[in-house]
Amino acid sequence: MRFDYDTLAPGIGYKLMTATITPRPIAWVSTLGKSGVVNAAPYSFFNAMGHSPPTLALGLLADPVRGFKDTARNILDTGEFVVNLVPERLAEAMNMTCIDAPADVSELDIARLTPAPSTHIHAPRIAESPVSFECTTLSAVVTGPQQTVVIGRILAVHIDDAYVSNVERGHIDTPALELVGRMHGSGWYARTQDMFQLDRPVWPPKG
């Protein structure tokens, strides 16, 4: 069956995308508001976009009535944010930060998480997360009345020593991170331990 997006209600189009573009990595974004409140929220329209310069992208969706969440508004206002990754052991805490708390309430307090200072920006990291990317906004593209894509330049990444297997070669014990991804529908997530490997094919040489 074909679905033409020009004729679809936005909510149906959203469901079709989120039900099929899976699993999606989760950007657990922490920011610092102008009032000094630390906000945090998960975003699953997220991925790495390049390595030279190192960039990642976030899709920020606004509620038609309430507008952008505090975290998204802080990104657009300050140009600073930290993308923290979510291991399974922190899935419940991550879910707590989805709450529609008032702007003057920190989701980190609600989820009993610890802000940790960043090196290059004012926005703090989430101390409990094993991987945190400090970012500044490289560009922001308004893609619709209720959505913006933010491309962030990564200034530094903090990785828990326990998962760094070779510093010089940049080798990380990725399976040990036990990261989770976003799946279809409300509240569905995936573990990332069930993996398989394929060798990349090489075109035969001439002769």
Side-chain angles (χ1 to χ4, degrees):
M1 181 174 288
R2 184 183 76 246
F3 297 89
D4 291 320
Y5 267 76
D6 284 345
T7 62
L8 286 177
I12 299 299
Y14 173 84
K15 288 179 181 179
L16 295 175
M17 292 177 68
T18 58
T20 54
I21 303 174
T22 60
R24 300 188 305 281
I26 301 169
W28 199 8
V29 183
S30 51
T31 58
L32 185 66
K34 292 181 178 179
S35 63
V37 176
V38 177
N39 293 108
Y43 291 83
S44 64
F45 284 6
F46 154 67
N47 219 313
M49 292 292 119
H51 73 284
S52 184
T55 53
L56 53 78
L58 297 174
L60 306 179
L61 306 184
D63 182 270
V65 177
R66 293 175 294 177
F68 285 115
K69 292 189 68 174
D70 301 323
T71 297
R73 176 52 56 196
N74 290 344
I75 294 173
L76 297 174
D77 286 347
T78 69
E80 295 186 347
F81 59 98
V82 180
V83 169
N84 308 275
L85 300 186
V86 185
E88 186 177 357
R89 61 183 172 80
L90 294 178
E92 290 286 350
M94 176 272 298
N95 191 50
M96 286 294 295
T97 64
C98 292
I99 193 168
D100 54 344
D104 60 349
V105 175
S106 173
E107 292 85 358
L108 293 189
D109 292 340
I110 295 172
R112 298 183 179 180
L113 295 165
T114 311
S118 294
T119 305
H120 302 286
I121 62 176
H122 296 95
R125 301 176 286 123
I126 298 175
E128 289 80 1
S129 174
V131 181
S132 300
F133 296 94
E134 295 185 29
C135 301
T136 55
T137 299
L138 188 62
S139 63
V141 181
V142 176
T143 56
Q146 308 295 336
Q147 61 186 43
T148 297
V149 174
V150 169
I151 300 174
R153 178 162 184 159
I154 301 169
L155 304 182
V157 57
H158 302 256
I159 304 176
D160 190 312
D161 291 353
Y163 305 104
V164 180
S165 55
N166 189 307
V167 175
E168 290 75 18
R169 297 177 64 87
H171 289 178
I172 304 300
D173 187 356
T174 303
L177 290 170
E178 297 185 335
L179 300 176
V180 295
R182 195 74 169 84
M183 292 295 291
H184 65 288
S186 178
W188 284 98
Y189 296 87
R191 298 179 176 90
T192 53
Q193 284 80 25
D194 185 10
M195 299 179 292
F196 63 94
Q197 186 175 21
L198 295 173
D199 293 330
R200 183 171 179 170
V202 178
W203 192 260
K206 293 181 179 180

